[in-house]
Amino acid sequence: MPLTRRKLLGAGAAMAGLAALGGWSLWTGTAGESPLLLSARNDDDGQHYAVGYYLNGKRAFATPVPERCHAVARHPFLPVALYVGRRPARESYLIDLRDGRLLQTLHSQPDRHFYGHAVFHARGEWLYTTENDTREPGRGVLGRYQLDRAALQLVHDGEATTHGVGPHELAWMPDGESLVIGNGGIRTEGGSREEMNLGAMAPSLVIMSRHGELISKETLADAQSSIRHLDVAADGTVITGQQYHGPAYNSVPLLAIKRPGEAYQPFPVSRTQLAMMDQYTASIAIHSEQRQVAMTAPRGNRFFIWDLDSGDTLLDAPMSDCAGVGAVPGGFAVTSGQGKCRYYDSRTAEVQSQWLELPGGWWDNHLWLS
Amino acid sequence: MRALIVLVSVSLSVLLTACSNPRQEVTVQLANDVLLPAHQQWRDSNAALVDAVEAYCTAPQASVGDLETAFYQAQSRWSHLQPLMVGPLSEGNRSWQVQFWPDKRNMVVRQTESLLDETDSLTGEQLEKASVVVQGLTAFEYVLFDQSVALAEKHDRYCPLLTGIARHQLALSESVLALWNEPGGMLAQLRDFPNERYATADEGLAAILRTQITGVDVLKKKLGTPMGRLNQGVAQPYQAEAWRSRQSIENLQASLQGAQAVWERVRSLVSDAALVKDIDQAYADVANQLAALPAPLMELVQAPQHSETLTTLYAALDNLENRQQTELARNLNIQIGFNANDGD
């Protein structure tokens, strides 16, 4: 889940005493004034990297990694992050954010592969990932890993069910103890990205304790809408983005919302906007301070910002292969798989766009800003 | 709603060199001389289709020949445009309104007949609210060419639909053209950089090339699907695009010419003379083979003696696609796709 720098500074300061590498003071010493963007990226030759760039364009590191990664889980206070292998990866990479050093190649357990997303618990000891049980393809698994702070190594500790099929992104609810998980509903076999059950998908939005207990499980009307990406506002409002696997010309909701205490339901988006998304949403980011939600639609080459409460459109703009999006002070930073990255200042009704001095293209679906 | 673009990345030096930037020049030329005219010709062919439908449907004894000619032309202009439809026509599900292909479940027939059964005399408003399946050229082709329809004897049933489709196509093409020509519209976005859509002329050029390369890939699908390449080699003649009007090959030729119009402009940017020669040859190979096909595609795919000919043509299209997708893209340092094609 992308965090604003302000939020992360707060968490980091609170946890500084636990830091094994010198903690927050060491981290801020390397961070400078510009937010640090963490993402998976490729180069022109197809080599995969775990990268960190400051939003002012300065490169922090670009570490070659064997497998293409998807999302990044930043540790709450140590200068480390896990770059999570893209499904059906069996490797993820723990990176030292000070210099890009590869601290550990985290291998998935036997009969498991990663789905591309993970989160660290706020106290910094535990990491949770979404995984596939390849003996029972599609059975969602919440992998649990303990961080050995002395050795800076993640050690598999156990797992729980995600109470659904084909889990994808997960994020913390405001209590910091329960997780919201998008179970995409699609079964894939180990080593494959081929969907096996497009006629019998079972997507669901699950809220569960990090220890495994199911708190709620809800579905949308259209079973072919795979619930994949999500973000959580400070008040517990969850927004999800779907990918529709039915006929390309159909018009179905591709965004949904679960407000605290209310049922999970489609977020009000016009048919015109839905048609511009080309049935595919990629990244969701909520700006809690500004009560806004942003979404990338790379197949439609479209980027959107809406008011989280009223659903009013603040921005509906073309952007080639827009990929990761994260909240930053004043608005959102957006990367692209094909073009230049942008910053959108959405503090006023007249949203302003600014090109970022980051390298253009080859940015993967998600980013983490801190 | 548009963002107010703050052109922070434009420096004076960029502005001074923009006019002598060959990539920007080619991008602007493509927009002015290839893409926009293709959209205008598509619009004009739809206007002619409206005229032809109205003439046919208001004179019960009129020959259907003029209407068929207007349909062929509209279908050809649409085919020509497909590798060129960067921007508005490729967005918002608009292209589905032009043509419903592939139609794996014969939905065009079922939905067309169902719609007409439910309405006494179809109005334009009813058609606008109907599915894209019945709004486009594929439904028009069914009515005009399918032997089960007997159009000449059922003007009352089918003319409102034909008129509605033609008018819908004209309105759609005019709205797309307006999105090209409006201030800050697509034409301006391929001419003045940076803008709301593209940071640089390179991004605009890359978008044009991606669309064109996708168009060549669609040609492979239009040939390979009726050949049975997705069906263990069992021919699928009724999955051919435009099988009812027997225009599949003519449409492939029109699309190839559209793709080649982009290549003709891009050629000057390629630094590798051997690659230029190879791509020129690849276009010529496909064009020559298409021109030499002796019968409509739906007949050829059912005749075993033509199997090798079609397989060779498919290989030539594959070669053209690969030359552009890998070698040309590398030479021009253009990214073909990433998250959009291979996301998660």
Side-chain angles (χ1 to χ4, degrees):
Chain A
M1 178 181 68
L3 291 173
T4 62
R5 181 163 189 260
R6 197 180 314 162
K7 284 162 66 180
L8 196 61
L9 277 169
M15 299 298 164
L18 300 175
L21 281 180
W24 186 254
S25 60
L26 194 155
W27 166 243
T28 51
T30 58
E33 292 304 311
S34 179
L36 179 64
L37 185 160
L38 308 177
S39 178
R41 191 163 182 260
N42 273 18
D43 66 13
D44 290 344
D45 296 323
Q47 168 66 51
H48 310 304
Y49 292 86
V51 307
Y53 276 85
Y54 300 105
L55 282 189
N56 62 16
K58 182 184 168 195
R59 189 174 85 175
F61 59 87
T63 305
V65 290
E67 295 239 30
R68 181 175 169 182
C69 296
H70 189 58
V72 183
R74 167 80 166 86
H75 192 276
F77 46 87
L78 296 178
V80 298
L82 186 72
Y83 287 69
V84 190
R86 176 175 179 262
R87 73 182 168 96
R90 293 180 186 275
E91 292 183 359
S92 294
Y93 308 100
L94 190 66
I95 300 287
D96 185 330
L97 301 180
R98 296 169 302 175
D99 55 10
R101 189 163 51 99
L102 176 64
L103 297 169
Q104 178 189 9
T105 296
L106 179 66
H107 297 278
S108 60
Q109 295 297 294
D111 303 315
R112 301 285 182 270
H113 71 66
F114 297 116
Y115 269 124
H117 289 269
V119 287
F120 273 102
H121 184 249
R123 286 203 296 276
E125 184 177 3
W126 301 100
L127 174 105
Y128 299 87
T129 66
T130 47
E131 301 178 7
N132 188 10
D133 178 352
T134 56
R135 289 172 309 180
E136 193 182 325
R139 188 180 77 84
V141 170
L142 182 72
R144 183 174 66 249
Y145 300 81
Q146 187 169 27
L147 181 66
D148 178 336
R149 291 187 197 157
L152 282 178
Q153 299 283 294
L154 287 160
V155 180
H156 187 257
D157 181 75
E159 64 182 33
T161 173
T162 67
H163 306 278
V165 175
H168 201 66
E169 188 162 15
L170 72 173
W172 292 108
M173 294 300 285
D175 64 6
E177 292 297 310
S178 54
L179 290 158
V180 58
I181 301 178
N183 284 306
I186 296 174
R187 286 192 293 115
T188 50
E189 292 183 318
S192 169
R193 291 172 58 81
E194 186 179 349
E195 301 93 348
M196 299 166 63
N197 64 330
L198 292 184
M201 290 170 54
S204 61
L205 183 74
V206 158
I207 298 176
M208 59 183 283
S209 88
R210 66 186 177 100
H211 305 295
E213 294 84 11
L214 179 67
I215 297 170
S216 68
K217 180 174 182 175
E218 293 174 89
T219 59
L220 295 169
D222 199 312
Q224 285 190 296
S225 286
S226 180
I227 302 164
R228 302 187 78 74
H229 297 115
L230 50 83
D231 200 3
V232 183
D235 71 343
T237 299
V238 179
I239 294 276
T240 65
Q242 287 82 250
Q243 295 170 5
Y244 180 62
H245 290 267
Y249 49 86
N250 279 357
S251 181
V252 297
L254 294 172
L255 246 74
I257 185 166
K258 180 170 176 57
R259 298 186 192 279
E262 295 184 14
Y264 181 45
Q265 58 193 286
F267 185 77
V269 173
S270 72
R271 283 176 71 92
T272 305
Q273 288 184 346
L274 284 174
M276 297 300 277
M277 297 173 193
D278 222 354
Q279 312 293 18
Y280 186 93
T281 66
S283 280
I284 304 281
I286 290 176
H287 200 301
S288 283
E289 291 85 348
Q290 295 176 196
R291 297 294 294 173
Q292 293 167 351
V293 57
M295 191 206 76
T296 58
R299 288 191 183 160
N301 299 307
R302 210 81 187 169
F303 177 66
F304 301 89
I305 305 174
W306 296 276
D307 185 292
L308 186 59
D309 298 311
S310 68
D312 290 346
T313 301
L314 301 170
L315 182 78
D316 173 355
M319 183 171 175
S320 292
D321 204 38
C322 44
V325 56
V328 289
F332 296 92
V334 195
T335 56
S336 167
Q338 291 172 345
K340 289 203 79 171
C341 305
R342 302 190 195 191
Y343 166 67
Y344 285 95
D345 183 337
S346 56
R347 285 173 292 185
T348 64
E350 193 80 48
V351 176
Q352 297 191 36
S353 164
Q354 180 174 315
W355 309 103
L356 291 169
E357 293 303 320
L358 293 164
W362 295 123
W363 294 89
D364 222 306
N365 264 163
H366 301 284
L367 58 81
W368 185 293
L369 283 157
S370 55
Chain B
M1 188 175 305
R2 292 227 161 93
L4 180 67
I5 305 294
V6 181
L7 307 180
V8 293
S9 60
V10 179
S11 66
L12 184 59
S13 62
V14 169
L15 286 173
L16 289 173
T17 56
C19 295
S20 58
N21 177 342
R23 288 186 173 222
Q24 180 152 346
E25 285 176 14
V26 166
T27 306
V28 173
Q29 285 173 12
L30 278 165
N32 287 330
D33 303 342
V34 177
L35 306 183
L36 181 62
H39 283 78
Q40 286 168 332
Q41 288 160 6
W42 171 55
R43 180 264 165 211
D44 293 346
S45 71
N46 287 325
L49 188 64
V50 170
D51 291 343
V53 167
E54 290 178 349
Y56 176 74
C57 288
T58 54
Q61 303 308 316
S63 161
V64 77
D66 289 348
L67 182 55
E68 289 178 351
T69 301
F71 172 79
Y72 293 146
Q73 186 68 0
Q75 193 171 238
S76 176
R77 291 302 185 195
W78 156 242
S79 299
H80 181 81
L81 183 55
Q82 284 178 68
L84 309 173
M85 59 176 192
V86 64
L89 182 53
S90 66
E91 298 168 347
N93 268 350
R94 292 189 180 96
S95 63
W96 280 103
Q97 297 177 47
V98 184
Q99 180 185 40
F100 191 78
W101 184 87
D103 182 10
K104 295 176 185 169
R105 298 174 190 165
N106 206 19
M107 288 173 64
V108 165
V109 174
R110 283 190 283 117
Q111 292 206 17
T112 298
E113 294 301 335
S114 170
L115 178 67
L116 295 177
D117 287 344
E118 292 165 6
T119 52
D120 284 339
S121 183
L122 185 74
T123 65
E125 193 178 343
Q126 287 169 323
L127 186 65
E128 294 300 316
K129 289 180 180 170
S131 161
V132 294
V133 175
V134 298
Q135 290 177 336
L137 296 179
T138 312
F140 197 103
E141 182 197 31
Y142 159 68
V143 172
L144 195 52
F145 293 97
D146 200 293
Q147 293 179 350
S148 67
V149 170
L151 173 62
E153 298 154 26
K154 297 181 184 171
H155 274 215
D156 289 350
R157 177 174 174 84
Y158 290 108
C159 269
L161 177 64
L162 291 179
T163 306
I165 291 174
R167 288 176 180 166
H168 181 78
Q169 294 302 307
L170 179 58
L172 178 66
S173 54
E174 288 185 334
S175 68
V176 168
L177 208 49
L179 291 170
W180 271 80
N181 286 321
E182 69 185 7
M186 196 65 208
L187 189 62
Q189 290 173 352
L190 288 169
R191 188 184 58 208
D192 308 318
F193 304 95
N195 56 61
E196 185 193 31
R197 190 180 290 259
Y198 302 120
T200 62
D202 261 23
E203 285 192 17
L205 181 63
I208 294 170
L209 273 171
R210 277 194 293 271
T211 302
Q212 188 252 28
I213 288 169
T214 300
V216 172
D217 190 59
V218 171
L219 290 189
K220 281 175 58 185
K221 289 190 174 70
K222 288 183 177 178
L223 177 64
T225 302
M227 287 172 65
R229 294 188 67 92
L230 305 174
N231 193 43
Q232 281 115 30
V234 178
Q236 305 279 297
Y238 299 107
Q239 291 299 310
E241 180 205 34
W243 67 267
R244 291 184 173 91
S245 58
R246 303 294 197 271
Q247 291 290 298
S248 310
I249 293 169
E250 289 77 1
N251 290 352
L252 292 176
Q253 289 173 312
S255 291
L256 185 74
Q257 288 160 7
Q260 192 162 0
V262 171
W263 164 243
E264 298 291 347
R265 300 282 175 171
V266 167
R267 188 200 277 115
S268 65
L269 298 174
V270 180
S271 58
D272 181 343
L275 177 60
V276 169
K277 193 175 169 187
D278 285 347
I279 295 177
D280 280 340
Q281 187 61 50
Y283 273 105
D285 284 347
V286 175
N288 291 337
Q289 290 184 46
L290 280 171
L293 292 177
L297 184 59
M298 76 162 307
E299 294 173 18
L300 295 176
V301 298
Q302 298 178 83
Q305 67 268 30
H306 295 298
S307 170
E308 190 176 337
T309 302
L310 295 177
T311 302
T312 305
L313 172 59
Y314 189 88
L317 271 172
D318 196 44
N319 175 55
L320 173 61
E321 182 183 36
N322 285 332
R323 294 276 182 199
Q324 294 200 135
Q325 189 164 290
T326 54
E327 296 170 50
L328 177 62
R330 190 181 303 127
N331 189 275
L332 296 177
N333 195 25
I334 298 284
Q335 275 180 252
I336 298 306
F338 197 42
N339 295 302
N341 291 355
D342 196 18
D344 213 348

